[in-house]
Amino acid sequence: MKAKLVSKWGEIEGAEYEIADEATIGRGEDSTIRIEAKAVSSRHARIFFDNERKRYYVEDLGSLNGTELDGMTISRAEPLSRLHVLRFAGVAEFLFVEVDRTAAAPAAKSDAAAPAAKHDAAARAAKPDIAAPAAESEPTTHQTRVDNEAPELPAALREEPEGTRVEEAPVPLPGGLAELGAPGGVAGKSEDIELPQNYLLAVATTGETRRFELAEGENVVGRSLGAKIRLADRDLSRRHAVVTLEAGRVTVRDLGSRNKTFVAGEAIEAEVELQPEDVVLFGPVEARLLAQSAGDTLPPPLEGGKKKGKE
């Protein structure tokens, strides 16, 4: 059996190498096929003929940048058949071509007396777009036939009777959404549909009211730079309290602050649930929980200044 490696691109594009019993590929001077690229290892890979199995194999020799067979990196000796693409270190690409399967033994590298017909077959096999021969009269599964007429449609589908309109059935909406009307209004029982709410914490500071929208999860209140509700007030601790929004439920918990947290005027020791319009004191800083639905207007701002809760 005889095989060839044909270089597809690079500095040695078009070069052909006949392979007998074994050929080594690498950057080293003792390599059968020498590739002078830094990415290629000195002893990169080898191609050898197995006399017992009567076929060629490719094997990576522990190279740094790997050997690919038809786009897949190999980790052991892999069998070769008629035509493959081999890539070494990603910089040298070859076609492996089996030239003769009828020879009794692998041909020597110096043997140049191959018949002309075999030489022509090797030249055809060296082209990247080679395909296995197939009868011209039978299209393969990858070909598209354009000479067949399209199948005839049933009479009922070929034409639409005059004056007939085809309308799609409306898609049913789940739950109360089926009662929603056009944008700008709600048809039917609009008073029964609960619109989603946003929760805000309105905090009275000197001269103004600041509103903070609560994010789902924990919202830390304090002087710390990492606090979601950051208030630069010396009477507040760095991590004073945490307001938690979870599935529409709002709670507040003191985080061991120096000036404590108050709900309904009482200092809290554990987590307390809040309702809209409840007032919370973080030390002397007053805040109020607001619930805002779409289209709602916010209540008037809180009075500025500080207040004192009951110890």
Side-chain angles (χ1 to χ4, degrees):
M1 187 178 296
K2 185 168 62 175
K4 283 186 178 182
L5 274 188
V6 181
S7 177
K8 290 183 63 179
W9 50 265
E11 295 180 358
I12 55 175
E13 180 179 359
E16 294 186 7
Y17 303 89
E18 288 190 6
I19 301 173
D21 294 317
E22 181 176 354
T24 57
I25 299 96
R27 192 160 41 87
E29 293 183 359
D30 59 342
S31 298
T32 310
I33 302 172
R34 191 178 178 196
I35 305 172
E36 296 183 359
K38 291 183 179 180
V40 176
S41 299
S42 296
R43 283 179 52 82
H44 197 99
R46 70 171 181 143
I47 297 172
F48 63 95
F49 185 79
D50 188 315
N51 284 300
E52 184 178 342
R53 295 179 174 85
K54 301 299 182 186
R55 69 187 312 167
Y56 282 98
Y57 284 78
V58 60
E59 179 183 16
D60 187 83
L61 297 178
S63 68
L64 182 63
N65 294 310
T67 300
E68 295 178 27
L69 170 62
D70 296 331
M72 300 295 292
T73 301
I74 64 173
S75 57
R76 60 182 181 181
E78 295 288 349
L80 299 173
S81 54
R82 181 169 175 263
L83 180 66
H84 295 281
V85 176
L86 297 175
R87 182 177 293 177
F88 306 102
V91 297
E93 188 168 284
F94 293 81
L95 284 178
F96 171 86
V97 184
E98 276 191 1
V99 179
D100 184 8
R101 276 185 169 270
T102 61
K109 186 173 181 179
S110 59
D111 183 12
K118 295 178 182 178
H119 177 76
D120 291 341
R124 288 195 302 272
K127 296 181 181 179
D129 56 351
I130 189 169
E136 292 183 1
S137 59
E138 294 295 331
T140 68
T141 56
H142 300 290
Q143 293 175 326
T144 302
R145 293 289 296 270
V146 295
D147 53 344
N148 289 340
E149 293 184 0
E152 185 177 359
L153 293 173
L157 298 178
R158 287 200 298 272
E159 56 184 359
E160 184 179 307
E162 250 182 72
T164 301
R165 293 183 62 189
V166 179
E167 296 183 358
E168 295 183 358
V171 179
L173 295 174
L177 294 179
E179 299 179 357
L180 291 176
V186 179
K189 301 178 181 179
S190 59
E191 66 276 4
D192 296 335
I193 301 174
E194 294 185 3
L195 297 176
Q197 290 184 320
N198 293 326
Y199 288 93
L200 301 94
L201 198 65
V203 181
T205 58
T206 304
E208 63 175 344
T209 297
R210 298 176 61 190
R211 292 182 172 90
F212 299 88
E213 184 173 350
L214 297 182
E216 189 74 18
E218 292 188 345
N219 300 264
V220 174
V221 181
R223 291 186 294 112
S224 169
L225 291 174
K228 287 189 178 179
I229 302 175
R230 183 169 179 255
L231 302 170
D233 192 303
R234 289 184 296 179
D235 292 319
L236 267 66
S237 299
R238 293 177 57 80
R239 287 172 55 85
H240 194 101
V242 60
V243 180
T244 303
L245 171 60
E246 190 172 89
R249 180 173 174 263
V250 182
T251 60
V252 62
R253 175 168 53 89
D254 189 78
L255 295 177
S257 64
R258 182 183 60 191
N259 291 321
K260 300 185 180 180
T261 301
F262 302 84
V263 176
E266 300 290 338
I268 62 174
E269 302 292 340
E271 190 173 60
V272 175
E273 184 171 357
L274 298 176
Q275 300 298 329
E277 302 302 325
D278 279 353
V279 174
V280 182
L281 292 177
F282 302 108
V285 179
E286 182 182 358
R288 182 170 60 185
L289 180 66
L290 306 177
Q292 182 187 16
S293 299
D296 282 358
T297 57
L298 290 173
L302 300 174
E303 296 180 5
K306 298 183 179 180
K307 296 191 177 181
K308 181 75 173 177
K310 298 178 183 178
E311 296 290 340

